[in-house]
Amino acid sequence: MTDHLEFLLQMGDSALILGHRLSEWCGHGPALEEDIALANTALDLIGQARMWLTVAGRVEGSGRSADDLAFHRDAMDFRNLLIVERPNGDFGHTLMRQFLFDCHHLATLRALSDAAPEIAEIAAKALKEVTYHQERSADLVLRLGDGSEESHRRMQAALDALWPYTGELRDPMPEMHDLADTGADWAMMVGPVLSQATLSPPDLAHFQTGGRTGRMHSEHLGHLLAVMQSLPRAHPDATW
């Protein structure tokens, strides 16, 4: 039960935090099309987060709702992947973060097709959205990585900065034995795109062997939650 809950929280928290990060671009995108696309992706992820956290609350058995889990936990209680809480940076940084996560997200959802019915149902609903997310982010990484000298430089800088956070993407939670192959699937999606985009991970050997990033407190997550949770924390009894 505990392992099951940890997994549900990781899925929900990762979608929620990345959705909030992407929402920070609303009105600030480099072009109107990209601004709208980022906002739509954020909405998709937050919708998925609600589904995962609703089930997590039920499994936990303490009567907490999805909103309770989203807005009334402290940073150390969140189980999101570390990469999703990283600051947006420039558009290239946001895009690279999205691509690396999308490949993991897609591989995970595909692996859940044979999971318990409630989990498989959520995965099937999310899979259509995430398939599009991954196709779009991969296409943009290719275009910008193999684009101008400036776009290539920015995409390579983003990859260098984010690569240390990919251990969790290449090495799933050890208690989720049925997801053991998702790291290999992630590498098969990421590797060819980076190669075609003329981008190189900082350590190719590490890229092949993987390695899990440990859970740690993040000041970035603390700052993000201070913004995201400010209204429900200030007015816990408010209704809409």
Side-chain angles (χ1 to χ4, degrees):
M1 184 68 73
T2 300
D3 291 348
H4 189 193
L5 177 59
E6 287 285 309
F7 175 73
L8 292 168
L9 289 173
Q10 184 183 97
M11 295 296 290
D13 290 348
S14 294
L16 177 66
I17 296 304
L18 184 55
H20 184 81
R21 274 291 187 223
L22 292 177
S23 75
E24 296 172 351
W25 275 102
C26 192
H28 302 281
L32 182 59
E33 180 181 357
E34 299 306 324
D35 196 298
I36 294 172
L38 290 170
N40 284 336
T41 301
L43 288 172
D44 288 344
L45 290 169
I46 291 171
Q48 294 167 25
R50 175 172 286 277
M51 292 190 290
W52 290 117
L53 294 179
T54 296
V55 178
R58 194 153 55 242
V59 169
E60 182 187 45
S62 299
R64 291 201 287 184
S65 67
D67 285 345
D68 292 329
L69 292 172
F71 299 119
H72 297 284
R73 283 184 295 155
D74 295 329
M76 289 303 296
D77 295 323
F78 273 71
R79 294 296 179 263
N80 58 278
L81 297 166
L82 294 175
I83 195 170
V84 302
E85 66 194 48
R86 302 303 300 165
N88 286 327
D90 63 17
F91 179 67
H93 195 100
T94 290
L95 180 59
M96 182 59 70
R97 180 188 63 196
Q98 189 67 38
F99 169 66
L100 295 172
F101 174 77
D102 284 343
C103 292
H104 164 81
H105 202 185
L106 184 58
T108 301
L109 293 174
R110 286 173 173 169
L112 292 173
S113 60
D114 295 326
E118 194 168 35
I119 291 178
E121 182 179 351
I122 296 175
K125 290 179 180 178
L127 186 59
K128 295 179 181 179
E129 296 172 338
V130 175
T131 297
Y132 173 73
H133 296 172
Q134 193 274 338
E135 290 174 351
R136 185 176 182 282
S137 62
D139 179 64
L140 286 170
V141 166
L142 278 169
R143 288 162 57 188
L144 294 176
D146 194 29
S148 68
E149 181 179 345
E150 176 66 10
S151 69
H152 173 83
R153 181 189 66 78
R154 290 190 178 215
M155 295 306 291
Q156 184 62 56
L159 181 60
D160 291 345
L162 290 166
W163 197 253
Y165 298 92
T166 60
E168 291 177 305
L169 310 183
R170 288 173 277 124
D171 187 9
M173 299 175 69
E175 58 270 20
M176 300 304 295
H177 302 297
D178 52 342
L179 299 182
D181 294 334
T182 59
D185 293 340
W186 179 85
M188 290 180 65
M189 281 188 274
V190 170
V193 172
L194 294 182
S195 179
Q196 292 177 53
T198 67
L199 299 170
S200 302
D203 184 351
L204 287 175
H206 189 55
F207 170 64
Q208 295 169 355
T209 59
R212 185 171 176 80
T213 304
R215 179 75 253 174
M216 65 186 75
H217 177 68
S218 168
E219 64 180 65
H220 297 298
L221 180 60
H223 293 161
L224 185 152
L225 292 180
V227 175
M228 189 181 80
Q229 297 178 339
S230 59
L231 183 60
R233 292 260 188 170
H235 304 280
D237 298 323
T239 58
W240 303 91

